[in-house]
Amino acid sequence: MNNRIDHKLYSKEDKPVKFSEDMLKRIGEIILHYPRERRRSVLLPLLHIAQQELGGYLSVDVMDYVASLLDIHPIEVYEVATFYSMFHLEPVGKYVIEVCRTGPCSICGSERIVDQLEKILGIKTGETTPDGLFTLKTVECLGSCGTAPVMQVNTVFYESLTSENIIQIIGDLKNQGNNKPLETKWVDLF
Ligand code: FES
């Protein structure tokens, strides 16, 4: 579930939004995997593609565009996009750090990890570093309670976090982030 600490009002900017012809063709193929009466189920994969292809986050314009492609009401897209923490409603950094804050991770020190990350990165939870490299978020259970405390950075999992290995992880990501373009792997989703 999404864990926004602030409740912002997102507004439509009426910016032109469109998938490329190639992407529309690919989406057409994906839609065919779903029975006609279950077409709205394609919403989740479509939102993943939209987020990766159309700027890294789901603006109101992007969500409205996705709604128009599936011929559903925009509110149906907003409901899904705001429920799942993997969808971002505003620009995020190259690396989105999501620290689990649910019971087992909390007992094992996730608050301390978040405090430390805020200090290292110089931002508060929910913010992005000025260089656009990191966004820090907290989320509910990431499904690895036995190795708490846990965090996820984009699609990579980090378990049994400690004050020491956090410094190493962020250092490595900084080096990597400044030297290597981020790989997008939406094709792996299907
Ligand atoms: S409580 Fe953190 S992974 Fe489950």
Side-chain angles (χ1 to χ4, degrees):
M1 196 192 294
N2 230 332
N3 298 299
R4 294 184 199 300
I5 50 171
D6 54 342
H7 297 278
K8 293 180 184 168
L9 283 176
Y10 294 91
S11 56
K12 195 166 165 60
E13 295 173 49
D14 283 325
K15 286 191 181 152
V17 175
K18 197 172 182 331
F19 287 124
S20 66
E21 288 306 316
D22 278 356
M23 191 54 72
L24 282 171
K25 192 162 164 260
R26 174 76 178 125
I27 288 168
E29 288 163 7
I30 293 166
I31 288 176
L32 288 179
H33 290 288
Y34 293 76
R36 184 169 290 280
E37 66 281 10
R38 295 274 183 269
R39 281 285 155 83
R40 66 187 52 213
S41 302
V42 83
L43 178 55
L44 272 178
L46 216 56
L47 285 177
H48 278 291
I49 295 172
Q51 181 162 279
Q52 291 188 22
E53 295 295 314
L54 300 173
Y57 73 105
L58 299 174
S59 65
V60 175
D61 297 293
V62 168
M63 289 190 280
D64 288 355
Y65 175 59
V66 169
S68 72
L69 287 179
L70 292 177
D71 197 21
I72 59 178
H73 297 295
I75 185 68
E76 296 175 79
V77 180
Y78 306 160
E79 284 169 351
V80 172
T82 56
F83 182 79
Y84 293 105
S85 58
M86 68 264 204
F87 295 125
H88 313 302
L89 303 185
E90 55 192 87
V92 290
K94 187 171 185 178
Y95 297 111
V96 179
I97 302 173
E98 297 177 308
V99 183
C100 173
R101 65 172 187 184
T102 305
C105 279
S106 182
I107 289 168
C108 292
S110 63
E111 279 98 352
R112 198 180 60 245
I113 296 294
V114 171
D115 286 348
Q116 193 182 355
L117 283 167
E118 287 184 342
K119 281 199 190 88
I120 295 173
L121 300 173
I123 55 172
K124 292 284 175 203
T125 304
E127 294 179 347
T128 298
T129 52
D131 61 3
L133 211 48
F134 296 100
T135 296
L136 179 61
K137 295 168 84 174
T138 54
V139 294
E140 299 303 334
C141 184
L142 288 170
S144 185
C145 321
T147 54
V150 168
M151 73 178 185
Q152 185 170 347
V153 182
N154 297 351
T155 54
V156 179
F157 238 69
Y158 295 91
E159 300 163 299
S160 306
L161 297 173
T162 63
S163 304
E164 291 73 37
N165 64 20
I166 274 289
I167 294 169
Q168 178 76 42
I169 292 165
I170 297 300
D172 290 348
L173 287 172
K174 271 186 184 164
N175 287 337
Q176 189 180 307
N178 289 324
N179 296 318
K180 206 170 123 191
L182 194 60
E183 289 172 25
T184 51
K185 296 191 188 168
W186 67 269
V187 172
D188 296 349
L189 294 166
F190 309 102

mmCIF file of all heavy atoms in Angstrom, residues 43-88:
data_model
loop_
_atom_site.group_PDB
_atom_site.id
_atom_site.type_symbol
_atom_site.label_atom_id
_atom_site.label_comp_id
_atom_site.label_asym_id
_atom_site.label_seq_id
_atom_site.Cartn_x
_atom_site.Cartn_y
_atom_site.Cartn_z
ATOM 1 N N LEU A 43 -4.859 -2.884 -16.636
ATOM 2 C CA LEU A 43 -4.476 -1.589 -16.076
ATOM 3 C C LEU A 43 -3.118 -1.628 -15.362
ATOM 4 O O LEU A 43 -2.285 -0.739 -15.555
ATOM 5 C CB LEU A 43 -5.568 -1.108 -15.108
ATOM 6 C CG LEU A 43 -5.313 0.209 -14.386
ATOM 7 C CD1 LEU A 43 -5.030 1.335 -15.366
ATOM 8 C CD2 LEU A 43 -6.497 0.580 -13.500
ATOM 9 N N LEU A 44 -2.894 -2.664 -14.542
ATOM 10 C CA LEU A 44 -1.628 -2.713 -13.796
ATOM 11 C C LEU A 44 -0.406 -2.752 -14.727
ATOM 12 O O LEU A 44 0.488 -1.905 -14.592
ATOM 13 C CB LEU A 44 -1.615 -3.898 -12.841
ATOM 14 C CG LEU A 44 -2.199 -3.655 -11.448
ATOM 15 C CD1 LEU A 44 -2.151 -4.940 -10.638
ATOM 16 C CD2 LEU A 44 -1.452 -2.569 -10.715
ATOM 17 N N PRO A 45 -0.338 -3.710 -15.685
ATOM 18 C CA PRO A 45 0.821 -3.683 -16.584
ATOM 19 C C PRO A 45 0.928 -2.384 -17.367
ATOM 20 O O PRO A 45 2.029 -1.875 -17.595
ATOM 21 C CB PRO A 45 0.598 -4.882 -17.508
ATOM 22 C CG PRO A 45 -0.742 -5.403 -17.229
ATOM 23 C CD PRO A 45 -1.170 -4.907 -15.899
ATOM 24 N N LEU A 46 -0.208 -1.817 -17.727
ATOM 25 C CA LEU A 46 -0.179 -0.572 -18.503
ATOM 26 C C LEU A 46 0.390 0.581 -17.670
ATOM 27 O O LEU A 46 1.138 1.426 -18.172
ATOM 28 C CB LEU A 46 -1.603 -0.237 -18.961
ATOM 29 C CG LEU A 46 -1.716 0.386 -20.339
ATOM 30 C CD1 LEU A 46 -1.076 -0.513 -21.363
ATOM 31 C CD2 LEU A 46 -3.169 0.643 -20.695
ATOM 32 N N LEU A 47 0.057 0.596 -16.385
ATOM 33 C CA LEU A 47 0.605 1.652 -15.519
ATOM 34 C C LEU A 47 2.114 1.491 -15.353
ATOM 35 O O LEU A 47 2.850 2.474 -15.289
ATOM 36 C CB LEU A 47 -0.095 1.642 -14.153
ATOM 37 C CG LEU A 47 -1.516 2.211 -14.142
ATOM 38 C CD1 LEU A 47 -2.138 2.071 -12.755
ATOM 39 C CD2 LEU A 47 -1.538 3.671 -14.572
ATOM 40 N N HIS A 48 2.578 0.233 -15.262
ATOM 41 C CA HIS A 48 4.025 0.006 -15.190
ATOM 42 C C HIS A 48 4.713 0.566 -16.434
ATOM 43 O O HIS A 48 5.728 1.256 -16.348
ATOM 44 C CB HIS A 48 4.330 -1.498 -15.084
ATOM 45 C CG HIS A 48 4.207 -2.040 -13.695
ATOM 46 N ND1 HIS A 48 5.090 -1.705 -12.694
ATOM 47 C CD2 HIS A 48 3.328 -2.892 -13.154
ATOM 48 C CE1 HIS A 48 4.739 -2.335 -11.581
ATOM 49 N NE2 HIS A 48 3.679 -3.052 -11.835
ATOM 50 N N ILE A 49 4.150 0.254 -17.585
ATOM 51 C CA ILE A 49 4.744 0.731 -18.841
ATOM 52 C C ILE A 49 4.704 2.255 -18.888
ATOM 53 O O ILE A 49 5.696 2.909 -19.234
ATOM 54 C CB ILE A 49 3.993 0.145 -20.054
ATOM 55 C CG1 ILE A 49 4.168 -1.369 -20.101
ATOM 56 C CG2 ILE A 49 4.492 0.780 -21.344
ATOM 57 C CD1 ILE A 49 3.319 -2.045 -21.153
ATOM 58 N N ALA A 50 3.552 2.824 -18.531
ATOM 59 C CA ALA A 50 3.401 4.278 -18.577
ATOM 60 C C ALA A 50 4.434 4.950 -17.678
ATOM 61 O O ALA A 50 5.070 5.942 -18.057
ATOM 62 C CB ALA A 50 1.981 4.667 -18.161
ATOM 63 N N GLN A 51 4.619 4.388 -16.481
ATOM 64 C CA GLN A 51 5.576 5.000 -15.555
ATOM 65 C C GLN A 51 7.001 4.943 -16.121
ATOM 66 O O GLN A 51 7.758 5.899 -16.011
ATOM 67 C CB GLN A 51 5.511 4.282 -14.212
ATOM 68 C CG GLN A 51 6.448 4.875 -13.181
ATOM 69 C CD GLN A 51 6.086 4.473 -11.772
ATOM 70 O OE1 GLN A 51 5.198 5.040 -11.155
ATOM 71 N NE2 GLN A 51 6.768 3.495 -11.236
ATOM 72 N N GLN A 52 7.338 3.826 -16.737
ATOM 73 C CA GLN A 52 8.706 3.689 -17.257
ATOM 74 C C GLN A 52 8.924 4.466 -18.547
ATOM 75 O O GLN A 52 10.023 4.952 -18.797
ATOM 76 C CB GLN A 52 9.026 2.217 -17.472
ATOM 77 C CG GLN A 52 9.141 1.488 -16.149
ATOM 78 C CD GLN A 52 9.651 0.063 -16.310
ATOM 79 O OE1 GLN A 52 10.277 -0.268 -17.288
ATOM 80 N NE2 GLN A 52 9.367 -0.760 -15.343
ATOM 81 N N GLU A 53 7.888 4.559 -19.347
ATOM 82 C CA GLU A 53 8.069 5.173 -20.673
ATOM 83 C C GLU A 53 7.746 6.659 -20.709
ATOM 84 O O GLU A 53 8.189 7.367 -21.603
ATOM 85 C CB GLU A 53 7.164 4.458 -21.689
ATOM 86 C CG GLU A 53 7.519 3.011 -21.916
ATOM 87 C CD GLU A 53 8.883 2.849 -22.545
ATOM 88 O OE1 GLU A 53 9.182 3.564 -23.503
ATOM 89 O OE2 GLU A 53 9.665 2.006 -22.053
ATOM 90 N N LEU A 54 6.936 7.120 -19.779
ATOM 91 C CA LEU A 54 6.436 8.496 -19.892
ATOM 92 C C LEU A 54 6.912 9.373 -18.736
ATOM 93 O O LEU A 54 6.131 10.105 -18.136
ATOM 94 C CB LEU A 54 4.898 8.488 -19.980
ATOM 95 C CG LEU A 54 4.318 7.720 -21.167
ATOM 96 C CD1 LEU A 54 2.796 7.627 -21.081
ATOM 97 C CD2 LEU A 54 4.721 8.373 -22.486
ATOM 98 N N GLY A 55 8.179 9.278 -18.408
ATOM 99 C CA GLY A 55 8.739 10.245 -17.476
ATOM 100 C C GLY A 55 9.043 9.745 -16.084
ATOM 101 O O GLY A 55 9.456 10.526 -15.235
ATOM 102 N N GLY A 56 8.806 8.457 -15.805
ATOM 103 C CA GLY A 56 9.212 7.922 -14.508
ATOM 104 C C GLY A 56 8.198 8.097 -13.399
ATOM 105 O O GLY A 56 8.426 7.661 -12.272
ATOM 106 N N TYR A 57 7.074 8.735 -13.696
ATOM 107 C CA TYR A 57 6.022 8.857 -12.690
ATOM 108 C C TYR A 57 4.678 9.027 -13.393
ATOM 109 O O TYR A 57 4.636 9.289 -14.606
ATOM 110 C CB TYR A 57 6.294 10.011 -11.717
ATOM 111 C CG TYR A 57 6.089 11.385 -12.302
ATOM 112 C CD1 TYR A 57 4.961 12.149 -11.975
ATOM 113 C CD2 TYR A 57 7.019 11.937 -13.182
ATOM 114 C CE1 TYR A 57 4.776 13.415 -12.496
ATOM 115 C CE2 TYR A 57 6.831 13.202 -13.712
ATOM 116 C CZ TYR A 57 5.707 13.935 -13.367
ATOM 117 O OH TYR A 57 5.513 15.189 -13.904
ATOM 118 N N LEU A 58 3.615 8.859 -12.617
ATOM 119 C CA LEU A 58 2.274 8.914 -13.200
ATOM 120 C C LEU A 58 1.627 10.249 -12.880
ATOM 121 O O LEU A 58 1.042 10.428 -11.810
ATOM 122 C CB LEU A 58 1.418 7.759 -12.656
ATOM 123 C CG LEU A 58 1.947 6.346 -12.959
ATOM 124 C CD1 LEU A 58 1.105 5.292 -12.240
ATOM 125 C CD2 LEU A 58 1.967 6.081 -14.458
ATOM 126 N N SER A 59 1.765 11.187 -13.795
ATOM 127 C CA SER A 59 1.083 12.471 -13.618
ATOM 128 C C SER A 59 -0.407 12.257 -13.894
ATOM 129 O O SER A 59 -0.810 11.223 -14.443
ATOM 130 C CB SER A 59 1.650 13.498 -14.599
ATOM 131 O OG SER A 59 1.350 13.107 -15.922
ATOM 132 N N VAL A 60 -1.204 13.239 -13.547
ATOM 133 C CA VAL A 60 -2.643 13.143 -13.822
ATOM 134 C C VAL A 60 -2.868 12.995 -15.329
ATOM 135 O O VAL A 60 -3.716 12.213 -15.774
ATOM 136 C CB VAL A 60 -3.384 14.386 -13.268
ATOM 137 C CG1 VAL A 60 -4.860 14.348 -13.666
ATOM 138 C CG2 VAL A 60 -3.258 14.442 -11.754
ATOM 139 N N ASP A 61 -2.077 13.718 -16.118
ATOM 140 C CA ASP A 61 -2.215 13.614 -17.577
ATOM 141 C C ASP A 61 -1.943 12.186 -18.056
ATOM 142 O O ASP A 61 -2.645 11.678 -18.925
ATOM 143 C CB ASP A 61 -1.245 14.578 -18.272
ATOM 144 C CG ASP A 61 -1.558 16.016 -17.927
ATOM 145 O OD1 ASP A 61 -2.627 16.499 -18.330
ATOM 146 O OD2 ASP A 61 -0.741 16.652 -17.252
ATOM 147 N N VAL A 62 -0.901 11.575 -17.502
ATOM 148 C CA VAL A 62 -0.560 10.208 -17.903
ATOM 149 C C VAL A 62 -1.682 9.250 -17.485
ATOM 150 O O VAL A 62 -2.104 8.382 -18.259
ATOM 151 C CB VAL A 62 0.795 9.773 -17.298
ATOM 152 C CG1 VAL A 62 1.015 8.273 -17.471
ATOM 153 C CG2 VAL A 62 1.939 10.555 -17.943
ATOM 154 N N MET A 63 -2.183 9.405 -16.266
ATOM 155 C CA MET A 63 -3.258 8.514 -15.796
ATOM 156 C C MET A 63 -4.522 8.684 -16.646
ATOM 157 O O MET A 63 -5.198 7.714 -16.973
ATOM 158 C CB MET A 63 -3.552 8.779 -14.316
ATOM 159 C CG MET A 63 -2.424 8.299 -13.403
ATOM 160 S SD MET A 63 -2.851 8.332 -11.654
ATOM 161 C CE MET A 63 -2.626 10.065 -11.265
ATOM 162 N N ASP A 64 -4.816 9.917 -17.029
ATOM 163 C CA ASP A 64 -5.995 10.157 -17.886
ATOM 164 C C ASP A 64 -5.796 9.507 -19.254
ATOM 165 O O ASP A 64 -6.732 8.968 -19.845
ATOM 166 C CB ASP A 64 -6.241 11.659 -18.052
ATOM 167 C CG ASP A 64 -6.773 12.289 -16.766
ATOM 168 O OD1 ASP A 64 -7.021 11.535 -15.803
ATOM 169 O OD2 ASP A 64 -6.937 13.514 -16.733
ATOM 170 N N TYR A 65 -4.566 9.576 -19.744
ATOM 171 C CA TYR A 65 -4.255 8.956 -21.040
ATOM 172 C C TYR A 65 -4.462 7.443 -20.970
ATOM 173 O O TYR A 65 -5.079 6.839 -21.855
ATOM 174 C CB TYR A 65 -2.816 9.301 -21.424
ATOM 175 C CG TYR A 65 -2.308 8.629 -22.672
ATOM 176 C CD1 TYR A 65 -2.944 8.812 -23.897
ATOM 177 C CD2 TYR A 65 -1.176 7.817 -22.629
ATOM 178 C CE1 TYR A 65 -2.465 8.189 -25.047
ATOM 179 C CE2 TYR A 65 -0.696 7.199 -23.769
ATOM 180 C CZ TYR A 65 -1.353 7.387 -24.970
ATOM 181 O OH TYR A 65 -0.881 6.769 -26.100
ATOM 182 N N VAL A 66 -3.962 6.831 -19.891
ATOM 183 C CA VAL A 66 -4.138 5.381 -19.708
ATOM 184 C C VAL A 66 -5.629 5.040 -19.624
ATOM 185 O O VAL A 66 -6.099 4.067 -20.234
ATOM 186 C CB VAL A 66 -3.396 4.897 -18.436
ATOM 187 C CG1 VAL A 66 -3.769 3.466 -18.082
ATOM 188 C CG2 VAL A 66 -1.885 5.011 -18.639
ATOM 189 N N ALA A 67 -6.389 5.875 -18.908
ATOM 190 C CA ALA A 67 -7.846 5.642 -18.808
ATOM 191 C C ALA A 67 -8.484 5.680 -20.196
ATOM 192 O O ALA A 67 -9.328 4.844 -20.527
ATOM 193 C CB ALA A 67 -8.481 6.694 -17.897
ATOM 194 N N SER A 68 -8.034 6.630 -21.026
ATOM 195 C CA SER A 68 -8.632 6.746 -22.362
ATOM 196 C C SER A 68 -8.288 5.523 -23.218
ATOM 197 O O SER A 68 -9.099 5.067 -24.007
ATOM 198 C CB SER A 68 -8.183 8.043 -23.043
ATOM 199 O OG SER A 68 -6.812 7.935 -23.422
ATOM 200 N N LEU A 69 -7.077 4.986 -23.042
ATOM 201 C CA LEU A 69 -6.689 3.805 -23.822
ATOM 202 C C LEU A 69 -7.561 2.598 -23.479
ATOM 203 O O LEU A 69 -7.872 1.777 -24.332
ATOM 204 C CB LEU A 69 -5.226 3.440 -23.545
ATOM 205 C CG LEU A 69 -4.149 4.336 -24.146
ATOM 206 C CD1 LEU A 69 -2.777 3.820 -23.732
ATOM 207 C CD2 LEU A 69 -4.247 4.387 -25.656
ATOM 208 N N LEU A 70 -7.933 2.494 -22.199
ATOM 209 C CA LEU A 70 -8.723 1.335 -21.759
ATOM 210 C C LEU A 70 -10.225 1.627 -21.744
ATOM 211 O O LEU A 70 -11.016 0.764 -21.384
ATOM 212 C CB LEU A 70 -8.284 0.912 -20.351
ATOM 213 C CG LEU A 70 -6.882 0.323 -20.252
ATOM 214 C CD1 LEU A 70 -6.528 0.002 -18.815
ATOM 215 C CD2 LEU A 70 -6.779 -0.941 -21.102
ATOM 216 N N ASP A 71 -10.555 2.876 -22.096
ATOM 217 C CA ASP A 71 -11.954 3.295 -22.099
ATOM 218 C C ASP A 71 -12.606 3.081 -20.728
ATOM 219 O O ASP A 71 -13.682 2.484 -20.615
ATOM 220 C CB ASP A 71 -12.729 2.529 -23.197
ATOM 221 C CG ASP A 71 -14.052 3.202 -23.509
ATOM 222 O OD1 ASP A 71 -14.185 4.405 -23.197
ATOM 223 O OD2 ASP A 71 -14.961 2.530 -24.041
ATOM 224 N N ILE A 72 -11.892 3.517 -19.678
ATOM 225 C CA ILE A 72 -12.448 3.461 -18.319
ATOM 226 C C ILE A 72 -12.395 4.863 -17.720
ATOM 227 O O ILE A 72 -11.769 5.771 -18.291
ATOM 228 C CB ILE A 72 -11.673 2.466 -17.409
ATOM 229 C CG1 ILE A 72 -10.185 2.870 -17.314
ATOM 230 C CG2 ILE A 72 -11.812 1.051 -17.918
ATOM 231 C CD1 ILE A 72 -9.369 1.962 -16.395
ATOM 232 N N HIS A 73 -13.044 5.044 -16.580
ATOM 233 C CA HIS A 73 -13.065 6.369 -15.948
ATOM 234 C C HIS A 73 -11.693 6.676 -15.328
ATOM 235 O O HIS A 73 -11.088 5.787 -14.702
ATOM 236 C CB HIS A 73 -14.124 6.435 -14.857
ATOM 237 C CG HIS A 73 -15.512 6.253 -15.370
ATOM 238 N ND1 HIS A 73 -16.116 7.151 -16.223
ATOM 239 C CD2 HIS A 73 -16.411 5.256 -15.183
ATOM 240 C CE1 HIS A 73 -17.323 6.733 -16.528
ATOM 241 N NE2 HIS A 73 -17.524 5.574 -15.915
ATOM 242 N N PRO A 74 -11.224 7.917 -15.437
ATOM 243 C CA PRO A 74 -9.937 8.277 -14.827
ATOM 244 C C PRO A 74 -9.859 7.907 -13.346
ATOM 245 O O PRO A 74 -8.819 7.463 -12.867
ATOM 246 C CB PRO A 74 -9.860 9.795 -15.028
ATOM 247 C CG PRO A 74 -10.648 10.035 -16.264
ATOM 248 C CD PRO A 74 -11.780 9.035 -16.227
ATOM 249 N N ILE A 75 -10.971 8.028 -12.617
ATOM 250 C CA ILE A 75 -10.941 7.730 -11.178
ATOM 251 C C ILE A 75 -10.531 6.280 -10.924
ATOM 252 O O ILE A 75 -9.874 5.977 -9.924
ATOM 253 C CB ILE A 75 -12.324 8.039 -10.519
ATOM 254 C CG1 ILE A 75 -12.278 7.857 -8.993
ATOM 255 C CG2 ILE A 75 -13.417 7.177 -11.083
ATOM 256 C CD1 ILE A 75 -11.449 8.844 -8.276
ATOM 257 N N GLU A 76 -10.873 5.393 -11.861
ATOM 258 C CA GLU A 76 -10.492 3.983 -11.687
ATOM 259 C C GLU A 76 -8.974 3.823 -11.767
ATOM 260 O O GLU A 76 -8.384 2.972 -11.106
ATOM 261 C CB GLU A 76 -11.166 3.109 -12.755
ATOM 262 C CG GLU A 76 -12.684 3.098 -12.637
ATOM 263 C CD GLU A 76 -13.339 2.326 -13.770
ATOM 264 O OE1 GLU A 76 -13.343 1.092 -13.708
ATOM 265 O OE2 GLU A 76 -13.843 2.969 -14.716
ATOM 266 N N VAL A 77 -8.342 4.665 -12.577
ATOM 267 C CA VAL A 77 -6.880 4.629 -12.678
ATOM 268 C C VAL A 77 -6.266 5.274 -11.435
ATOM 269 O O VAL A 77 -5.318 4.740 -10.853
ATOM 270 C CB VAL A 77 -6.400 5.362 -13.951
ATOM 271 C CG1 VAL A 77 -4.880 5.315 -14.052
ATOM 272 C CG2 VAL A 77 -7.031 4.745 -15.189
ATOM 273 N N TYR A 78 -6.832 6.393 -10.993
ATOM 274 C CA TYR A 78 -6.292 7.068 -9.800
ATOM 275 C C TYR A 78 -6.327 6.120 -8.591
ATOM 276 O O TYR A 78 -5.406 6.079 -7.784
ATOM 277 C CB TYR A 78 -7.093 8.325 -9.434
ATOM 278 C CG TYR A 78 -7.266 9.353 -10.521
ATOM 279 C CD1 TYR A 78 -8.285 10.309 -10.439
ATOM 280 C CD2 TYR A 78 -6.434 9.408 -11.637
ATOM 281 C CE1 TYR A 78 -8.472 11.264 -11.418
ATOM 282 C CE2 TYR A 78 -6.620 10.363 -12.629
ATOM 283 C CZ TYR A 78 -7.638 11.282 -12.519
ATOM 284 O OH TYR A 78 -7.833 12.220 -13.494
ATOM 285 N N GLU A 79 -7.448 5.382 -8.472
ATOM 286 C CA GLU A 79 -7.599 4.482 -7.316
ATOM 287 C C GLU A 79 -6.467 3.456 -7.264
ATOM 288 O O GLU A 79 -5.901 3.192 -6.212
ATOM 289 C CB GLU A 79 -8.949 3.749 -7.396
ATOM 290 C CG GLU A 79 -10.127 4.608 -7.016
ATOM 291 C CD GLU A 79 -11.461 3.958 -7.348
ATOM 292 O OE1 GLU A 79 -11.478 2.914 -8.030
ATOM 293 O OE2 GLU A 79 -12.489 4.516 -6.937
ATOM 294 N N VAL A 80 -6.148 2.887 -8.420
ATOM 295 C CA VAL A 80 -5.094 1.863 -8.464
ATOM 296 C C VAL A 80 -3.720 2.499 -8.267
ATOM 297 O O VAL A 80 -2.890 2.023 -7.485
ATOM 298 C CB VAL A 80 -5.159 1.091 -9.810
ATOM 299 C CG1 VAL A 80 -3.966 0.156 -9.959
ATOM 300 C CG2 VAL A 80 -6.464 0.309 -9.893
ATOM 301 N N ALA A 81 -3.480 3.597 -8.961
ATOM 302 C CA ALA A 81 -2.155 4.233 -8.912
ATOM 303 C C ALA A 81 -1.818 4.745 -7.512
ATOM 304 O O ALA A 81 -0.649 4.740 -7.105
ATOM 305 C CB ALA A 81 -2.087 5.366 -9.928
ATOM 306 N N THR A 82 -2.834 5.182 -6.772
ATOM 307 C CA THR A 82 -2.557 5.711 -5.434
ATOM 308 C C THR A 82 -2.495 4.603 -4.376
ATOM 309 O O THR A 82 -2.046 4.836 -3.262
ATOM 310 C CB THR A 82 -3.620 6.746 -4.996
ATOM 311 O OG1 THR A 82 -4.909 6.140 -5.083
ATOM 312 C CG2 THR A 82 -3.569 7.988 -5.857
ATOM 313 N N PHE A 83 -2.943 3.411 -4.733
ATOM 314 C CA PHE A 83 -2.954 2.310 -3.753
ATOM 315 C C PHE A 83 -1.584 1.648 -3.645
ATOM 316 O O PHE A 83 -1.127 1.309 -2.549
ATOM 317 C CB PHE A 83 -4.004 1.268 -4.154
ATOM 318 C CG PHE A 83 -4.120 0.137 -3.174
ATOM 319 C CD1 PHE A 83 -4.826 0.289 -1.990
ATOM 320 C CD2 PHE A 83 -3.500 -1.080 -3.420
ATOM 321 C CE1 PHE A 83 -4.917 -0.749 -1.074
ATOM 322 C CE2 PHE A 83 -3.587 -2.124 -2.513
ATOM 323 C CZ PHE A 83 -4.300 -1.955 -1.330
ATOM 324 N N TYR A 84 -0.916 1.448 -4.765
ATOM 325 C CA TYR A 84 0.331 0.678 -4.776
ATOM 326 C C TYR A 84 1.551 1.581 -4.663
ATOM 327 O O TYR A 84 1.686 2.556 -5.403
ATOM 328 C CB TYR A 84 0.440 -0.146 -6.058
ATOM 329 C CG TYR A 84 -0.583 -1.250 -6.142
ATOM 330 C CD1 TYR A 84 -1.691 -1.140 -6.976
ATOM 331 C CD2 TYR A 84 -0.449 -2.404 -5.368
ATOM 332 C CE1 TYR A 84 -2.635 -2.156 -7.045
ATOM 333 C CE2 TYR A 84 -1.383 -3.418 -5.430
ATOM 334 C CZ TYR A 84 -2.478 -3.288 -6.270
ATOM 335 O OH TYR A 84 -3.406 -4.289 -6.335
ATOM 336 N N SER A 85 2.458 1.195 -3.750
ATOM 337 C CA SER A 85 3.637 2.047 -3.521
ATOM 338 C C SER A 85 4.616 2.033 -4.690
ATOM 339 O O SER A 85 5.483 2.884 -4.771
ATOM 340 C CB SER A 85 4.352 1.624 -2.230
ATOM 341 O OG SER A 85 4.736 0.271 -2.303
ATOM 342 N N MET A 86 4.485 1.068 -5.616
ATOM 343 C CA MET A 86 5.441 1.056 -6.737
ATOM 344 C C MET A 86 5.108 2.112 -7.786
ATOM 345 O O MET A 86 5.911 2.349 -8.684
ATOM 346 C CB MET A 86 5.548 -0.330 -7.384
ATOM 347 C CG MET A 86 4.313 -0.765 -8.101
ATOM 348 S SD MET A 86 3.333 -1.792 -7.021
ATOM 349 C CE MET A 86 2.397 -2.756 -8.186
ATOM 350 N N PHE A 87 3.947 2.731 -7.663
ATOM 351 C CA PHE A 87 3.626 3.807 -8.596
ATOM 352 C C PHE A 87 3.912 5.150 -7.938
ATOM 353 O O PHE A 87 3.539 5.378 -6.789
ATOM 354 C CB PHE A 87 2.160 3.722 -9.024
ATOM 355 C CG PHE A 87 1.853 2.476 -9.800
ATOM 356 C CD1 PHE A 87 0.837 1.625 -9.402
ATOM 357 C CD2 PHE A 87 2.595 2.130 -10.921
ATOM 358 C CE1 PHE A 87 0.566 0.457 -10.104
ATOM 359 C CE2 PHE A 87 2.335 0.968 -11.632
ATOM 360 C CZ PHE A 87 1.326 0.130 -11.217
ATOM 361 N N HIS A 88 4.563 6.024 -8.687
ATOM 362 C CA HIS A 88 4.936 7.336 -8.162
ATOM 363 C C HIS A 88 4.062 8.406 -8.799
ATOM 364 O O HIS A 88 3.869 8.408 -10.006
ATOM 365 C CB HIS A 88 6.404 7.619 -8.469
ATOM 366 C CG HIS A 88 7.298 6.466 -8.129
ATOM 367 N ND1 HIS A 88 7.372 5.934 -6.853
ATOM 368 C CD2 HIS A 88 8.135 5.724 -8.898
ATOM 369 C CE1 HIS A 88 8.223 4.914 -6.861
ATOM 370 N NE2 HIS A 88 8.693 4.773 -8.087
#
